[in-house]
């Protein structure tokens, strides 16, 4: 059973370009979460999605960032007009359900975005 | 909100024991968890404590005191492969996780 898959693993963009990060959850998982990890900082929650729905995007910057989890295909985190401050590792996690208690989230290997 | 503090770095010798402390202040308590993250890799789940006390899983144990807002992760019989970052965190609700900055443990021969 493959784990959470993310691609690309490394992405280099110049300022002003767009970055598209992909995440395929574990088989059978319908909940996806995106986190950002800046150097020397902890993982910060960005957004929580279920199929075709954004449940909570409170951790995502209001501008330039968007996320989707379509009925078919991977979840996409999209960053438009990237700036140097967007350079970070972006991790996707998935879980089978979200219920009345914490359900273990399984993390992918991350995408390391570098903005030149 | 959540405020989670843990030491930045710790160094220990192979075969030794290391204890990583974590203090937290939360607006609502939903448990306390630990993840291990090797450099350049995904965080992997280690433990989740909801009740006070010590939970042991092989060489790793996690302790929680809710009244003190305190937890620790105990690593016994350290191996070189245990060199990693250890993340303390708490669920804000049933899906949003809040992490500390992580403790980088270096195991020396």
């Amino acid at each position: 059973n493959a784990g959470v898959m993310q691609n690309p693993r490394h992405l280099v963009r110049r300022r002003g370009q767009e970055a598209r990060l992909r995440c395929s959850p574990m088989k059978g998982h319908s909940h996806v979460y995106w986190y950002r990890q800046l150097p020397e900082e902890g993982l910060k929650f960005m957004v929580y999605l279920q199929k075709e729905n954004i449940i909570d995007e409170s951790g995502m910057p209001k501008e330039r960032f968007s996320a989707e989890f379509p009925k078919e295909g991977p979840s996409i985190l999209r960053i438009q007009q990237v700036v140097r401050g967007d350079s970070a590792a972006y991790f996707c996690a998935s879980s089978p359900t979200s219920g009345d208690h914490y359900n273990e989230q399984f993390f992918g290997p991350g995408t390391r975005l570098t903005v030149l | 909100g959540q405020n989670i503090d843990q030491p930045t770095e710790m160094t220990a010798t192979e075969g030794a024991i290391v204890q990583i402390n974590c203090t937290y202040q939360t607006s609502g308590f939903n448990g306390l968890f630990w993840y291990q993250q090797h450099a350049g890799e995904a965080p992997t789940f280690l433990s989740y404590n909801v009740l006070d006390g010590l939970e042991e899983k092989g060489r790793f144990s996690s302790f929680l005191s809710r009244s003190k807002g305190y937890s620790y992760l105990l690593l016994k019989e350290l191996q070189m492969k245990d060199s990693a970052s250890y993340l303390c965190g708490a669920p804000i609700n049933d899906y949003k996780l809040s992490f500390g900055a992580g403790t980088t443990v270096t195991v020396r021969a």
Side-chain angles (χ1 to χ4, degrees):
Chain A
N1 186 12
V4 178
M5 299 177 69
Q6 291 187 248
N7 69 82
R9 293 292 307 273
H10 299 274
L11 182 62
V12 179
R13 285 287 178 266
R14 296 191 180 279
R15 281 180 297 171
Q17 291 184 319
E18 178 180 285
R20 291 171 69 88
L21 289 61
R22 295 175 186 78
C23 169
S24 296
M26 285 182 70
K27 188 176 180 181
H29 287 192
S30 58
H31 299 251
V32 166
Y33 318 82
W34 285 92
Y35 292 82
R36 177 164 65 175
Q37 187 174 41
L38 293 167
E40 310 302 325
E41 294 187 18
L43 288 158
K44 302 294 185 188
F45 170 86
M46 298 181 72
V47 61
Y48 162 44
L49 310 104
Q50 296 177 21
K51 284 285 187 181
E52 301 184 279
N53 284 303
I54 297 174
I55 307 301
D56 183 341
E57 55 182 350
S58 59
M60 204 153 64
K62 295 287 187 288
E63 297 179 351
R64 302 187 298 108
F65 284 70
S66 62
E68 63 177 14
F69 189 17
K71 187 176 181 182
E72 301 292 337
S75 175
I76 306 287
L77 178 67
R78 183 181 176 206
I79 311 173
Q80 295 177 292
Q81 300 171 6
V82 295
V83 301
R84 290 217 172 106
D86 297 333
S87 294
Y90 292 83
F91 287 91
C92 170
S94 72
S95 68
T97 63
S98 176
D100 295 332
H101 61 281
Y102 167 67
N103 285 282
E104 180 183 343
Q105 295 180 13
F106 296 82
F107 283 81
T111 293
R112 276 147 190 84
L113 172 66
T114 301
V115 180
L116 302 177
Chain B
Q2 317 289 91
N3 189 19
I4 300 170
D5 292 308
Q6 54 183 126
T8 304
E9 295 178 327
M10 300 184 75
T11 301
T13 306
E14 197 174 12
I17 298 173
V18 69
Q19 177 174 314
I20 308 170
N21 297 324
C22 172
T23 58
Y24 64 90
Q25 294 174 320
T26 60
S27 55
F29 183 74
N30 293 295
L32 196 291
F33 60 83
W34 288 92
Y35 276 79
Q36 179 192 58
Q37 185 180 23
H38 285 98
E41 296 183 12
T44 54
F45 177 86
L46 288 178
S47 65
Y48 176 54
N49 294 63
V50 178
L51 301 177
D52 291 347
L54 184 69
E55 291 192 9
E56 298 185 68
K57 285 184 184 180
R59 294 188 299 111
F60 292 7
S61 303
S62 56
F63 172 84
L64 175 67
S65 169
R66 288 174 293 174
S67 61
K68 296 181 180 178
Y70 167 68
S71 172
Y72 67 73
L73 181 68
L74 192 69
L75 315 180
K76 293 181 277 190
E77 300 170 19
L78 279 174
Q79 302 176 10
M80 299 299 288
K81 67 178 181 179
D82 298 330
S83 292
S85 182
Y86 292 85
L87 312 178
C88 173
I92 297 172
N93 51 32
D94 62 338
Y95 60 81
K96 187 183 294 186
L97 306 182
S98 179
F99 289 86
T103 299
T104 300
V105 171
T106 302
V107 181
R108 296 182 302 191

